[in-house]
């Protein structure tokens, strides 16, 4: 009801404002702005931007703050335009709105003071989680959006917790993640059954990557820690040399420098475009992992893979497809928010270099690579 009343007042105020602006224009032969036109314009602009925003929903009403701020000025403007009975109606309506706000504020305060209010917000007790992490000596963790901030704040940063990935603004950096939590060696995931990143979703990802872990249910939360990587994932070969068909001077950015990346500058992906990495000692290789970082749209589709044999490139005859991994394995634990692609070689080969060549380039996309990981397979169990 209030929404319709507000809209009616805004429409009436807009009509008065345009009528007054027309009279001023006829008199002065020049457009001018008064309070009514200013605040009516602010209100309509804010409302239309909210309606056409992809982020408009029940939890983003704060984006209408400018519209709310303009409402009292709209009421004042209308009061100045109305005569006696109009002012009586508008004054009565104002008193009703003030009374409604006072009653709702009182009810909200009473609701906040109720003991189960935090559970109603899915803000469950984290004390058992904190105690368990302290017992296990775990000082770094991942959690969903709200829980990550709560855990860090409640422990005064004794336990530093980061979001798994930026749930609200995917392209924005996350405090603590890349600089503190990702590089840590002993990390836990603290997840609930609700939230944007739930415990069930994480367990599906663990199963797809064949990663085992210790699982501890604590009230509404499940804590995952002490991850056991699948055979062959504990070691990565560190390339010492990188090359590329395009932008070769920056090819070294794709080996061991996570803060940088290589890109085929000045060109889109084309058939035959390639990158290569080499290392010192020949090893038996079965898999290559490519980290595309924050540029999933720049990933390759299908590729040819060649390997060094007696310092000559030997190409596997079949086209190989990149398979998406939900996370990468770093320092013995999963790390999300990087586009990870896996290339399984048809057969393990002993070599000291691999070349990846585009077989099916993506149209109008560059090729961007953060890191190339080479996985040895000597210890892989068939």
């Amino acid at each position: 009801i209030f929404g319709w009343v507000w809209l009616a007042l805004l429409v009436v105020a807009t009509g008065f404002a345009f009528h007054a602006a027309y009279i001023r224009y006829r008199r002065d032969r020049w457009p001018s702005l008064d309070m009514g036109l200013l605040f009516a314009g602010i209100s309509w602009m804010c409302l239309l931007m909210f309606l056409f925003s992809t982020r408009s929903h029940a939890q983003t009403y704060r984006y209408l703050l400018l519209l709310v701020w303009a409402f009292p000025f709209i009421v004042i403007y209308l009061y100045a335009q109305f005569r006696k009975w109009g002012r009586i109606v508008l004054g009565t309506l104002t008193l009703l709105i003030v009374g409604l706000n006072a009653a709702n504020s009182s009810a909200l305060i009473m609701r906040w003071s109720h003991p189960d209010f935090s559970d109603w917000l899915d803000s469950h007790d984290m004390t058992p989680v904190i105690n368990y992490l302290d017992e296990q000596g775990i000082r770094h963790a991942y959690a969903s959006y709200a829980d990550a901030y709560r855990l860090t704040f409640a422990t005064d940063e004794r336990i530093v917790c980061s979001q798994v990935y930026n749930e609200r603004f995917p392209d924005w950096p996350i405090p603590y993640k890349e600089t503190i939590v990702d590089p840590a060696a002993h990390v836990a995931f603290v997840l609930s059954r609700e939230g944007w990143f739930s415990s069930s979703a994480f367990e599906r990802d663990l199963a797809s990557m064949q990663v085992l872990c210790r699982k501890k249910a604590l009230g509404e939360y499940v804590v995952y820690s002490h991850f056991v990587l699948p055979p062959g994932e504990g070691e990565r070969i560190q390339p010492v040399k990188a090359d590329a068909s395009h932008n070769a001077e920056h090819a070294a950015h794709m080996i061991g420098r996570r803060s940088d990346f290589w890109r085929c500058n000045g060109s889109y992906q084309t058939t035959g475009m390639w990158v290569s990495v080499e290392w010192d000692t020949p090893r038996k290789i079965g898999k290559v992992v490519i980290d595309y970082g924050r540029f999933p749209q720049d990933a390759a589709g299908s590729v040819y893979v060649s390997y060094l044999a007696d310092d000559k490139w030997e190409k596997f005859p079949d086209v190989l497809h990149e398979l998406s991994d939900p996370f990468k394995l770093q320092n013995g634990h999963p790390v999300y928010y990087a586009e990870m692609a896996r290339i399984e070689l048809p057969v393990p080969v002993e070599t000291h270099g691999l070349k990846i060549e585009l077989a099916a380039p993506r149209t109008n996309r560059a090729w961007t690579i953060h890191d190339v990981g080479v996985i040895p397979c000597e210890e892989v169990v068939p």
Side-chain angles (χ1 to χ4, degrees):
I1 294 175
F2 174 76
W4 287 112
V5 172
W6 166 84
L7 184 61
L9 292 176
L10 180 59
V11 170
V12 173
T14 304
F16 275 120
F18 272 110
H19 182 260
Y22 176 72
I23 293 176
R24 292 195 305 275
Y25 179 76
R26 290 282 303 270
R27 182 189 65 208
D28 304 332
R29 296 298 177 181
W30 191 259
S32 61
L33 196 65
D34 68 349
M35 187 183 78
L37 203 58
L38 172 66
F39 289 106
I42 290 173
S43 300
W44 285 114
M45 178 185 68
C46 187
L47 179 62
L48 291 175
M49 291 176 67
F50 182 82
L51 291 176
F52 288 100
S53 171
T54 58
R55 294 189 178 276
S56 300
H57 52 75
Q59 296 180 10
T60 58
Y61 286 157
R62 62 187 181 279
Y63 297 153
L64 293 173
L65 184 60
L66 193 61
L67 183 147
V68 174
W69 169 78
F71 178 66
F73 297 97
I74 295 291
V75 174
I76 293 170
Y77 177 76
L78 285 175
Y79 191 85
Q81 304 301 315
F82 287 161
R83 296 295 179 260
K84 179 180 177 181
W85 287 108
R87 291 185 175 185
I88 291 175
V89 172
L90 192 59
T92 303
L93 180 62
T94 301
L95 291 176
L96 288 174
I97 293 174
V98 171
L100 178 64
N101 280 335
N104 281 340
S105 297
S106 176
L108 182 62
I109 292 172
M110 295 299 294
R111 187 70 183 89
W112 280 348
S113 66
H114 202 274
D116 67 349
F117 182 69
S118 61
D119 290 337
W120 180 74
L121 288 176
D122 294 332
S123 181
H124 307 294
D125 182 17
M126 301 197 79
T127 303
V129 171
I130 295 172
N131 292 337
Y132 178 75
L133 294 178
D134 284 338
E135 292 171 3
Q136 299 297 315
I138 298 174
R139 295 289 176 262
H140 302 89
Y142 298 99
S144 192
Y145 166 68
D147 292 330
Y149 287 101
R150 290 181 59 213
L151 188 56
T152 304
F153 177 80
T155 62
D156 196 22
E157 297 189 10
R158 183 178 71 256
I159 300 172
V160 177
C161 189
S162 164
Q163 293 182 67
V164 179
Y165 53 84
N166 198 322
E167 298 171 355
R168 300 179 65 226
F169 304 102
D171 292 330
W172 289 19
I174 309 173
Y176 302 130
K177 184 179 188 300
E178 293 186 1
T179 57
I180 298 178
V181 181
D182 285 354
H186 194 20
V187 180
F189 281 72
V190 179
L191 303 173
S192 67
R193 295 170 182 83
E194 304 96 6
W196 291 354
F197 189 81
S198 64
S199 56
S200 59
F202 184 54
E203 290 182 14
R204 285 195 300 269
D205 289 348
L206 289 176
S208 70
M209 295 288 287
Q210 302 178 38
V211 175
L212 304 177
C213 67
R214 182 182 299 174
K215 176 181 174 181
K216 180 71 172 179
L218 297 163
E220 296 294 329
Y221 295 98
V222 181
V223 178
Y224 303 86
S225 62
H226 300 83
F227 297 95
V228 179
L229 309 186
E233 290 288 354
E235 179 189 1
R236 288 196 178 195
I237 297 173
Q238 179 59 53
V240 296
K241 178 183 177 183
D243 200 0
S245 59
H246 295 65
N247 195 19
E249 59 271 22
H250 290 154
H253 289 183
M254 73 179 83
I255 53 174
R257 298 178 62 176
R258 183 65 181 85
S259 59
D260 294 322
F261 57 86
W262 168 87
R263 174 176 286 161
C264 57
N265 289 341
S267 176
Y268 291 135
Q269 293 185 17
T270 57
T271 303
M273 183 180 289
W274 56 266
V275 297
S276 67
V277 293
E278 299 179 34
W279 52 97
D280 292 329
T281 306
R283 299 285 297 276
K284 186 177 288 186
I285 306 303
K287 180 167 61 175
V288 184
V289 177
I290 301 178
D291 181 355
Y292 287 106
R294 298 178 181 177
F295 304 97
Q297 69 277 5
D298 288 355
S302 57
V303 298
Y304 288 107
V305 175
S306 303
Y307 61 95
L308 277 174
D310 297 327
D311 294 326
K312 293 183 180 179
W313 292 111
E314 297 286 343
K315 180 187 290 187
F316 289 107
D318 297 328
V319 172
L320 304 180
H321 295 278
E322 292 189 344
L323 307 173
S324 293
D325 284 346
F327 53 73
K328 69 176 180 179
L329 297 167
Q330 177 178 316
N331 297 328
H333 62 84
V335 172
Y336 280 85
Y337 197 57
E339 182 69 16
M340 303 301 302
R342 182 178 75 256
I343 303 173
E344 303 278 358
L345 302 185
V347 293
V349 293
E350 187 163 334
T351 182
H352 63 96
L354 291 173
K355 177 189 286 187
I356 303 167
E357 177 184 333
L358 290 179
R362 292 194 176 185
T363 305
N364 296 330
R365 297 305 317 180
W367 196 12
T368 305
I369 297 176
H370 266 283
D371 184 61
V372 177
V374 182
I375 313 299
C377 61
E378 287 93 341
E379 300 177 0
V380 173
V381 179

